[in-house]
Amino acid sequence: MDLATIIGLVGGTVLLLVSIIAGGSALIFFNVPSVLIVFGGTLAATFIKFTMADVIGSMNVAMKAFLVKLEAPENIITEMVEFTRIAKKEGLIALEKEKPSDPFSVKALRYLSDGYDEGLIADMLNKDIRLMSQRHTTGQNVFKGMGDSAPAFGMVGTLIGLVQMLTSMSDPSSIGPSMAVALLTTLYGAVIANLIALPIADKLALRSEQERMNKSIIVEAAIAINRGVSPMVLEESLKIFLTPKERQKAITATAGAE
Amino acid sequence: MDLATIIGLVGGTVLLLVSIIAGGSALIFFNVPSVLIVFGGTLAATFIKFTMADVIGSMNVAMKAFLVKLEAPENIITEMVEFTRIAKKEGLIALEKEKPSDPFSVKALRYLSDGYDEGLIADMLNKDIRLMSQRHTTGQNVFKGMGDSAPAFGMVGTLIGLVQMLTSMSDPSSIGPSMAVALLTTLYGAVIANLIALPIADKLALRSEQERMNKSIIVEAAIAINRGVSPMVLEESLKIFLTPKERQKAITATAGAE
Amino acid sequence: MDLATIIGLVGGTVLLLVSIIAGGSALIFFNVPSVLIVFGGTLAATFIKFTMADVIGSMNVAMKAFLVKLEAPENIITEMVEFTRIAKKEGLIALEKEKPSDPFSVKALRYLSDGYDEGLIADMLNKDIRLMSQRHTTGQNVFKGMGDSAPAFGMVGTLIGLVQMLTSMSDPSSIGPSMAVALLTTLYGAVIANLIALPIADKLALRSEQERMNKSIIVEAAIAINRGVSPMVLEESLKIFLTPKERQKAITATAGAE
Amino acid sequence: MDLATIIGLVGGTVLLLVSIIAGGSALIFFNVPSVLIVFGGTLAATFIKFTMADVIGSMNVAMKAFLVKLEAPENIITEMVEFTRIAKKEGLIALEKEKPSDPFSVKALRYLSDGYDEGLIADMLNKDIRLMSQRHTTGQNVFKGMGDSAPAFGMVGTLIGLVQMLTSMSDPSSIGPSMAVALLTTLYGAVIANLIALPIADKLALRSEQERMNKSIIVEAAIAINRGVSPMVLEESLKIFLTPKERQKAITATAGAE
Amino acid sequence: MDLATIIGLVGGTVLLLVSIIAGGSALIFFNVPSVLIVFGGTLAATFIKFTMADVIGSMNVAMKAFLVKLEAPENIITEMVEFTRIAKKEGLIALEKEKPSDPFSVKALRYLSDGYDEGLIADMLNKDIRLMSQRHTTGQNVFKGMGDSAPAFGMVGTLIGLVQMLTSMSDPSSIGPSMAVALLTTLYGAVIANLIALPIADKLALRSEQERMNKSIIVEAAIAINRGVSPMVLEESLKIFLTPKERQKAITATAGAE
């Protein structure tokens, strides 16, 4: 699972709990009707905004994003350069026997060994990337939509609480606690949006971008293999995708391997 | 009708009603002048923003979106692959007798059987998609416009109520209830915007996007049929439009059929 | 004049007046200094943002938008199909004698009868559309700018009122009325922005879009006439611009005419 | 200097001063520490956001925008049509002796008389326009950045004031005036942003757009001159850049000249 | 280090400290739990939004941006014009021995001396620029994300404080100080966002833009060298990248050198 996400989620939650408990009575911060309004309202709005499949799908996407680690781009480059060597030596047909880890590489190799022409390979792989991005965007949008709805229903809950409090202000000593309860929904909404929904939406976007880059490397390599580019030129060209730091690492690794 | 939308709308409404009733006097939450200001003001602004036809049209679009189910992309692909087989065996002219479910497919087949050239077919079908998207966007914008206006008129109503309350504060015991009434419009505005108008606008956008994808599949298939692409290659190419899950389902279905 | 706009403006105003009068003392809602701050401040900001010509021009654009009705796209299509028939029978030169209602059509026909080549016709007409859109955008921006400034100066007025009230709180009974007056500017700002300025900006954008579509139809028709496309093919191609409903109407009309 | 900007700035300031003085004690609205927090904080944030050269440059750009009047597009068109006549009669080399008012025209004429080919002329002039737009955008961004920071530091100042007031509430009679002072920074921030910084940013954007249009006219004319387009055709083509009103004026002027 | 950034950060901090100390008891503005909630919550959200590597990387990018000065574009132009002269006289191969200061220039020269063709050089250098921009964007996004989270957790802290205060309002004299403490988190959030995080994000964006322009100059020069463009034409073409002021400076420098 993604370490930074755990640290953030656990750390942020602990922090809030500590600051609540340190202030004394922690129980006042838990109120069932308030939880229902904010969580329920946010879920309701999310169901109207999306389809059932999207909502469930986004949870799966989020789970997968936190549990499945993405291949490092260095490794993909190394793998693709290796395939170039094989194609150069034994012909494109030899790629048929290779078993790359990534299903997208599998598809690229199959197109190559099947002898599809360059335009078709690029077209089909790029369309695959574009449509994957669209699907990922839906996942992000579900979380972003929750992040928009949660504070809104927090405010709705607070308004309901305030109206109830204001209409029955006979006992002045009850004003404080009533208002405290009314504010709880705003607090819940702010925490759900800013500690959970919006950050997860951002993480999914980032991950989708990394996956897109990994796949772009594979497309570029597949086209180069088809054109018969030399492994060295391909490696040079693909390394541009890496950060200066990753390039350094990759060079060291290559040097060590030789 | 779209199930998730019902669950969301009904669930969200029930939730708010329960939390209002649980708090005691539910009647204080219903106030005719407040309803008039928020609903009336929002409607007034919407009429200024759009044309009468747009406002009525958007209601129709929304109704249709909730009542008419979109064809699943798997089915469209199956249908189009079938048409490719027919065109291969019996020529483009044979497509004339086919009766696809979708009016857009009907149009595509007619262009094919009429022998229009590829550029013209792509041009006319794509323009149709683009103009449909523009019309759908108007529908979404009407709801989005309502979602922007409702909280604004909620605030206008609250300000009117506050000014009235503040100018006649002779009886301190009436301040609470007066302010409660003043806050009602803000509450109405927030609920209309966040439970109804904005989520529906999002759902319409999502649905328009799905309809656009369905039509893109048809356009791509029509071009391929015209070029005489083989059914198998076309199927491979169209399946990229499906999610990995839908692809799995489609493969199982095909395997079962064979 | 545009009916929906009248309904919206009159209806919204009546609604607010009724809810104010129903609350008793309507006079407290009218305060000259508050009016001056919000209207004056908004005008001042608008003058800084735009040129004098833009501000006056935007009022003209708005007036024209509400008073001059746009030609229905069906009619433009009918007219252009008619011109295609004439050009087919009597040659492009015969278009010289035609007197279309729209000045843009006049220009298109002149280019055709003068024998300009297709590229030049498309270039000049499209540039005309693009520059018209830019001019219209300025008109919308003036109203949008007012819609941004009005709430800001409403807040400025309220802050000035609050500061004055807070520094001289000797008489507690005057706090309420003073604060009511302070809130008036916020109310004015919200009404100007949300009932007048922003909705009008949206209506102008919508109308500009419709005008752009009308002109796009003319450009497409002009190019087709120059290429000698048959009236029937042109009609088919132009009808894609219509909504399904308008198409139905156009078909009925044609059927009735035949 | 730009008249509308003066009217706006002076009018808006006078308006605010009048409404402050009319309310009695105007001195309470001037508070040195509040001025320091809002102005100083805004300046500090602006320095972090931009480079020193950008901040100073943006002031120069703003000054120049208010003091130097842009050439009217009609005049540029008249001038360019005249150059076309000269080039037609005496050849491109004759343009060398012409002294257009605009430095951008000077450059265009030089490229023409130096015999650069069309692609190069268009490339270099368009790149010049694009980079000028980028520089202007920085100027606008400085003012927009100030407009974002001013209300933020207004809020920071108010929070500081509130915290100080709330910790020492021994004397209830001092609460009002203390809070009035705390609100001053919010007032300053709102006025700086909405009367000065944001409107000026908008005016700079508008002016940059006009300058870009003027230069686009020159580029189009330069290309036409190089191609040997006739003065009349060029005039027709350039007049599309004008508003209908300006066109009318230009036609009248031409008619008067003939 | 970047002077404007230091002035802004130090100046802004001093300003706030002075206005706090001038108000008397400065200690009340420092509260450990409040600091924890805002800083901790912001960090937690940032960790969820990004990867650990991104967060650390963004700090490095920021550090580098403030410590390493960018080459002035004039100098890069001078250097590239010099390389053009060398290439003209001694051939592209002679560029191999040149040692430009910028690693990007080194790469460009290597491609030139290795005899890569123009398309490949442009492709690889432009891809490098695009991917560098993407990496820089991540750095900016980390700071922008912090700037979004800080005020949100400021509000969360204030809500927690208010709820705690409202539930235990037995002693009226403690209300003021409790509320002061509750407001501290909002103050911290506003300062972190508006004095630190958002301005730094803007500065990084600006710097990335300048670096992109520097590299664009190198790409354009490399292509021109490969095409054998004369040094004088190249200089003319590259100077368009400079502001009028920088051009003046460059001309003076050249004149002095001759």
Side-chain angles (χ1 to χ4, degrees), chain E residues 6-27:
Chain E
I6 304 184
I7 294 178
L9 280 175
V10 173
T13 310
V14 166
L15 198 81
L16 292 179
L17 288 180
V18 164
S19 74
I20 282 171
I21 292 167
S25 47
L27 277 179

PDB file of all heavy atoms in Angstrom, chain E residues 6-27:
ATOM      1  N   ILE E   6      13.256  36.816  -0.447  1.00  0.00           N
ATOM      2  CA  ILE E   6      13.715  37.089   0.923  1.00  0.00           C
ATOM      3  C   ILE E   6      12.995  38.313   1.475  1.00  0.00           C
ATOM      4  O   ILE E   6      12.456  38.305   2.579  1.00  0.00           O
ATOM      5  CB  ILE E   6      15.228  37.376   0.974  1.00  0.00           C
ATOM      6  CG1 ILE E   6      16.011  36.210   0.362  1.00  0.00           C
ATOM      7  CG2 ILE E   6      15.668  37.598   2.420  1.00  0.00           C
ATOM      8  CD1 ILE E   6      17.504  36.392   0.474  1.00  0.00           C
ATOM      9  N   ILE E   7      13.003  39.398   0.671  1.00  0.00           N
ATOM     10  CA  ILE E   7      12.347  40.627   1.123  1.00  0.00           C
ATOM     11  C   ILE E   7      10.906  40.322   1.519  1.00  0.00           C
ATOM     12  O   ILE E   7      10.431  40.720   2.583  1.00  0.00           O
ATOM     13  CB  ILE E   7      12.377  41.697   0.003  1.00  0.00           C
ATOM     14  CG1 ILE E   7      13.814  42.121  -0.274  1.00  0.00           C
ATOM     15  CG2 ILE E   7      11.522  42.898   0.390  1.00  0.00           C
ATOM     16  CD1 ILE E   7      13.932  43.136  -1.394  1.00  0.00           C
ATOM     17  N   GLY E   8      10.212  39.595   0.649  1.00  0.00           N
ATOM     18  CA  GLY E   8       8.804  39.295   0.902  1.00  0.00           C
ATOM     19  C   GLY E   8       8.623  38.462   2.156  1.00  0.00           C
ATOM     20  O   GLY E   8       7.817  38.809   3.033  1.00  0.00           O
ATOM     21  N   LEU E   9       9.387  37.366   2.280  1.00  0.00           N
ATOM     22  CA  LEU E   9       9.198  36.467   3.425  1.00  0.00           C
ATOM     23  C   LEU E   9       9.575  37.149   4.726  1.00  0.00           C
ATOM     24  O   LEU E   9       8.815  37.133   5.711  1.00  0.00           O
ATOM     25  CB  LEU E   9      10.025  35.191   3.250  1.00  0.00           C
ATOM     26  CG  LEU E   9       9.429  34.122   2.341  1.00  0.00           C
ATOM     27  CD1 LEU E   9      10.405  32.973   2.165  1.00  0.00           C
ATOM     28  CD2 LEU E   9       8.125  33.595   2.948  1.00  0.00           C
ATOM     29  N   VAL E  10      10.778  37.781   4.745  1.00  0.00           N
ATOM     30  CA  VAL E  10      11.231  38.430   5.975  1.00  0.00           C
ATOM     31  C   VAL E  10      10.347  39.629   6.290  1.00  0.00           C
ATOM     32  O   VAL E  10       9.836  39.780   7.405  1.00  0.00           O
ATOM     33  CB  VAL E  10      12.709  38.858   5.842  1.00  0.00           C
ATOM     34  CG1 VAL E  10      13.127  39.688   7.045  1.00  0.00           C
ATOM     35  CG2 VAL E  10      13.593  37.628   5.697  1.00  0.00           C
ATOM     36  N   GLY E  11      10.121  40.465   5.272  1.00  0.00           N
ATOM     37  CA  GLY E  11       9.306  41.670   5.479  1.00  0.00           C
ATOM     38  C   GLY E  11       7.922  41.328   5.993  1.00  0.00           C
ATOM     39  O   GLY E  11       7.443  41.918   6.970  1.00  0.00           O
ATOM     40  N   GLY E  12       7.264  40.374   5.356  1.00  0.00           N
ATOM     41  CA  GLY E  12       5.908  39.996   5.765  1.00  0.00           C
ATOM     42  C   GLY E  12       5.874  39.471   7.189  1.00  0.00           C
ATOM     43  O   GLY E  12       4.984  39.821   7.974  1.00  0.00           O
ATOM     44  N   THR E  13       6.873  38.642   7.542  1.00  0.00           N
ATOM     45  CA  THR E  13       6.897  38.070   8.886  1.00  0.00           C
ATOM     46  C   THR E  13       7.119  39.151   9.930  1.00  0.00           C
ATOM     47  O   THR E  13       6.420  39.205  10.959  1.00  0.00           O
ATOM     48  CB  THR E  13       8.023  37.014   8.973  1.00  0.00           C
ATOM     49  OG1 THR E  13       7.899  36.128   7.867  1.00  0.00           O
ATOM     50  CG2 THR E  13       7.928  36.225  10.263  1.00  0.00           C
ATOM     51  N   VAL E  14       8.101  40.021   9.665  1.00  0.00           N
ATOM     52  CA  VAL E  14       8.391  41.100  10.604  1.00  0.00           C
ATOM     53  C   VAL E  14       7.146  41.957  10.809  1.00  0.00           C
ATOM     54  O   VAL E  14       6.756  42.282  11.940  1.00  0.00           O
ATOM     55  CB  VAL E  14       9.559  41.965  10.078  1.00  0.00           C
ATOM     56  CG1 VAL E  14       9.646  43.287  10.851  1.00  0.00           C
ATOM     57  CG2 VAL E  14      10.860  41.196  10.179  1.00  0.00           C
ATOM     58  N   LEU E  15       6.490  42.302   9.712  1.00  0.00           N
ATOM     59  CA  LEU E  15       5.281  43.127   9.754  1.00  0.00           C
ATOM     60  C   LEU E  15       4.231  42.521  10.680  1.00  0.00           C
ATOM     61  O   LEU E  15       3.652  43.204  11.531  1.00  0.00           O
ATOM     62  CB  LEU E  15       4.726  43.199   8.340  1.00  0.00           C
ATOM     63  CG  LEU E  15       3.756  44.313   8.061  1.00  0.00           C
ATOM     64  CD1 LEU E  15       4.548  45.583   7.811  1.00  0.00           C
ATOM     65  CD2 LEU E  15       2.927  43.968   6.844  1.00  0.00           C
ATOM     66  N   LEU E  16       3.982  41.217  10.510  1.00  0.00           N
ATOM     67  CA  LEU E  16       2.964  40.573  11.335  1.00  0.00           C
ATOM     68  C   LEU E  16       3.395  40.543  12.792  1.00  0.00           C
ATOM     69  O   LEU E  16       2.597  40.820  13.692  1.00  0.00           O
ATOM     70  CB  LEU E  16       2.697  39.152  10.823  1.00  0.00           C
ATOM     71  CG  LEU E  16       2.014  39.064   9.459  1.00  0.00           C
ATOM     72  CD1 LEU E  16       1.830  37.615   9.050  1.00  0.00           C
ATOM     73  CD2 LEU E  16       0.667  39.772   9.492  1.00  0.00           C
ATOM     74  N   LEU E  17       4.677  40.221  13.020  1.00  0.00           N
ATOM     75  CA  LEU E  17       5.167  40.173  14.396  1.00  0.00           C
ATOM     76  C   LEU E  17       5.037  41.539  15.065  1.00  0.00           C
ATOM     77  O   LEU E  17       4.579  41.657  16.204  1.00  0.00           O
ATOM     78  CB  LEU E  17       6.628  39.709  14.427  1.00  0.00           C
ATOM     79  CG  LEU E  17       6.831  38.222  14.117  1.00  0.00           C
ATOM     80  CD1 LEU E  17       8.312  37.873  14.173  1.00  0.00           C
ATOM     81  CD2 LEU E  17       6.052  37.372  15.120  1.00  0.00           C
ATOM     82  N   VAL E  18       5.424  42.586  14.330  1.00  0.00           N
ATOM     83  CA  VAL E  18       5.336  43.931  14.899  1.00  0.00           C
ATOM     84  C   VAL E  18       3.894  44.263  15.254  1.00  0.00           C
ATOM     85  O   VAL E  18       3.595  44.736  16.350  1.00  0.00           O
ATOM     86  CB  VAL E  18       5.888  44.969  13.894  1.00  0.00           C
ATOM     87  CG1 VAL E  18       5.464  46.389  14.289  1.00  0.00           C
ATOM     88  CG2 VAL E  18       7.408  44.871  13.836  1.00  0.00           C
ATOM     89  N   SER E  19       2.975  43.981  14.339  1.00  0.00           N
ATOM     90  CA  SER E  19       1.583  44.349  14.616  1.00  0.00           C
ATOM     91  C   SER E  19       1.011  43.511  15.753  1.00  0.00           C
ATOM     92  O   SER E  19       0.097  43.934  16.455  1.00  0.00           O
ATOM     93  CB  SER E  19       0.734  44.215  13.360  1.00  0.00           C
ATOM     94  OG  SER E  19       0.506  42.867  13.085  1.00  0.00           O
ATOM     95  N   ILE E  20       1.553  42.315  15.955  1.00  0.00           N
ATOM     96  CA  ILE E  20       1.112  41.485  17.078  1.00  0.00           C
ATOM     97  C   ILE E  20       1.695  42.026  18.387  1.00  0.00           C
ATOM     98  O   ILE E  20       0.990  42.192  19.385  1.00  0.00           O
ATOM     99  CB  ILE E  20       1.542  40.015  16.870  1.00  0.00           C
ATOM    100  CG1 ILE E  20       0.593  39.347  15.868  1.00  0.00           C
ATOM    101  CG2 ILE E  20       1.571  39.263  18.175  1.00  0.00           C
ATOM    102  CD1 ILE E  20       1.038  37.986  15.417  1.00  0.00           C
ATOM    103  N   ILE E  21       3.002  42.323  18.376  1.00  0.00           N
ATOM    104  CA  ILE E  21       3.664  42.791  19.594  1.00  0.00           C
ATOM    105  C   ILE E  21       3.135  44.168  19.985  1.00  0.00           C
ATOM    106  O   ILE E  21       2.910  44.458  21.172  1.00  0.00           O
ATOM    107  CB  ILE E  21       5.200  42.832  19.385  1.00  0.00           C
ATOM    108  CG1 ILE E  21       5.709  41.388  19.248  1.00  0.00           C
ATOM    109  CG2 ILE E  21       5.896  43.539  20.530  1.00  0.00           C
ATOM    110  CD1 ILE E  21       7.118  41.269  18.739  1.00  0.00           C
ATOM    111  N   ALA E  22       2.901  45.021  18.971  1.00  0.00           N
ATOM    112  CA  ALA E  22       2.371  46.358  19.251  1.00  0.00           C
ATOM    113  C   ALA E  22       1.035  46.272  19.993  1.00  0.00           C
ATOM    114  O   ALA E  22       0.688  47.148  20.782  1.00  0.00           O
ATOM    115  CB  ALA E  22       2.202  47.123  17.944  1.00  0.00           C
ATOM    116  N   GLY E  23       0.302  45.207  19.756  1.00  0.00           N
ATOM    117  CA  GLY E  23      -1.009  45.056  20.396  1.00  0.00           C
ATOM    118  C   GLY E  23      -0.921  44.570  21.825  1.00  0.00           C
ATOM    119  O   GLY E  23      -1.935  44.295  22.454  1.00  0.00           O
ATOM    120  N   GLY E  24       0.284  44.401  22.312  1.00  0.00           N
ATOM    121  CA  GLY E  24       0.443  43.967  23.707  1.00  0.00           C
ATOM    122  C   GLY E  24       0.904  42.521  23.791  1.00  0.00           C
ATOM    123  O   GLY E  24       1.903  42.139  23.190  1.00  0.00           O
ATOM    124  N   SER E  25       0.182  41.725  24.513  1.00  0.00           N
ATOM    125  CA  SER E  25       0.558  40.358  24.839  1.00  0.00           C
ATOM    126  C   SER E  25       0.758  39.483  23.598  1.00  0.00           C
ATOM    127  O   SER E  25      -0.190  38.933  23.054  1.00  0.00           O
ATOM    128  CB  SER E  25      -0.529  39.744  25.714  1.00  0.00           C
ATOM    129  OG  SER E  25      -1.776  40.014  25.143  1.00  0.00           O
ATOM    130  N   ALA E  26       1.997  39.336  23.149  1.00  0.00           N
ATOM    131  CA  ALA E  26       2.278  38.560  21.945  1.00  0.00           C
ATOM    132  C   ALA E  26       2.152  37.061  22.191  1.00  0.00           C
ATOM    133  O   ALA E  26       1.891  36.284  21.280  1.00  0.00           O
ATOM    134  CB  ALA E  26       3.673  38.881  21.432  1.00  0.00           C
ATOM    135  N   LEU E  27       2.328  36.662  23.435  1.00  0.00           N
ATOM    136  CA  LEU E  27       2.341  35.233  23.745  1.00  0.00           C
ATOM    137  C   LEU E  27       1.009  34.559  23.430  1.00  0.00           C
ATOM    138  O   LEU E  27       0.968  33.389  23.070  1.00  0.00           O
ATOM    139  CB  LEU E  27       2.679  35.009  25.220  1.00  0.00           C
ATOM    140  CG  LEU E  27       4.182  35.041  25.508  1.00  0.00           C
ATOM    141  CD1 LEU E  27       4.434  34.844  26.994  1.00  0.00           C
ATOM    142  CD2 LEU E  27       4.886  33.956  24.692  1.00  0.00           C
TER     143      LEU E  27
END
